[in-house]
Amino acid sequence: MTMPMTLKEYLVACDIDYEELPHPRESTASRIAELSKVARERMAKAVMLHSDSGYRLAVVPSSSDADLEQLSHLLHEKVTLASEHQIMEHFRDCDPGATSPVGQAWGLQVYVDDMLRHQPDVYFDAGDHETLVHMSGREFDRLMHDSHHGRFSRHY
């Protein structure tokens, strides 16, 4: 599989300068970062959340987990992790387990952890298990400019 058209068209519509980088087939952001020689702090991973008011996407570095308690506080409601089925329903054109952090392309509200803001470079899953998207930190900040942000990652 290649990058889903939903993501590709969104990046083009936003006039984002990016490159696609192939990597060996792998399913976890931390492992992809390791195989691709990318610092885990610069590798963004998506965590889909569910709450009474709907679905959202939290974007954190691959070196961290999303702190659900902190996110619940930030969103003023209890959030839980979405199920694999719920994720696949929203990201139909992505490989299972390869959710892109550009949730706004699929109509989701996105929350970006402050650890990813102002990085020199950012990498993330393109929606398959074999392609990374790479862009400058400036382009990533521009891409996520309408997203909420805060500190809600927990380093592991």
Side-chain angles (χ1 to χ4, degrees):
M1 185 173 182
T2 60
M3 180 190 296
M5 287 306 295
T6 304
L7 177 57
K8 191 174 288 244
E9 290 172 357
Y10 188 81
L11 293 173
V12 169
C14 292
D15 194 30
I16 298 298
D17 186 23
Y18 71 95
E19 66 178 324
E20 296 178 50
L21 304 172
H23 65 78
R25 187 166 182 80
E26 191 56 60
S27 59
T28 68
S30 290
R31 185 76 176 122
I32 293 167
E34 181 183 330
L35 291 172
S36 302
K37 308 283 191 258
V38 172
R40 294 185 329 149
E41 300 78 37
R42 295 180 184 177
M43 179 77 174
K45 71 177 179 181
V47 179
M48 192 162 153
L49 307 170
H50 179 257
S51 68
D52 288 341
S53 61
Y55 296 97
R56 298 176 175 94
L57 204 66
V59 181
V60 298
S62 70
S63 59
S64 303
D65 286 326
D67 184 332
L68 297 182
E69 186 176 316
Q70 188 64 28
L71 280 160
S72 293
H73 178 72
L74 179 71
L75 302 174
H76 307 292
E77 65 180 322
K78 181 160 177 51
V79 297
T80 59
L81 296 176
S83 70
E84 282 299 315
H85 176 73
Q86 292 165 329
I87 295 167
M88 288 174 22
E89 283 293 308
H90 276 82
F91 293 89
R92 291 178 188 264
D93 55 350
C94 292
D95 282 349
T99 306
S100 169
V102 189
Q104 55 272 53
W106 286 268
L108 292 172
Q109 194 170 39
V110 176
Y111 293 78
V112 179
D113 188 83
D114 285 341
M115 295 286 290
L116 284 167
R117 299 181 75 221
H118 313 298
Q119 287 286 342
D121 291 282
V122 177
Y123 300 79
F124 57 84
D125 201 318
D128 64 9
H129 291 294
E130 298 173 342
T131 312
L132 273 180
V133 174
H134 167 243
M135 62 185 62
S136 71
R138 175 177 279 166
E139 287 296 279
F140 184 76
D141 288 345
R142 207 166 63 78
L143 177 64
M144 298 294 182
H145 78 278
D146 284 339
S147 301
H148 300 277
H149 63 88
R151 181 62 194 242
F152 48 82
S153 65
R154 190 177 51 225
H155 191 74
Y156 59 81

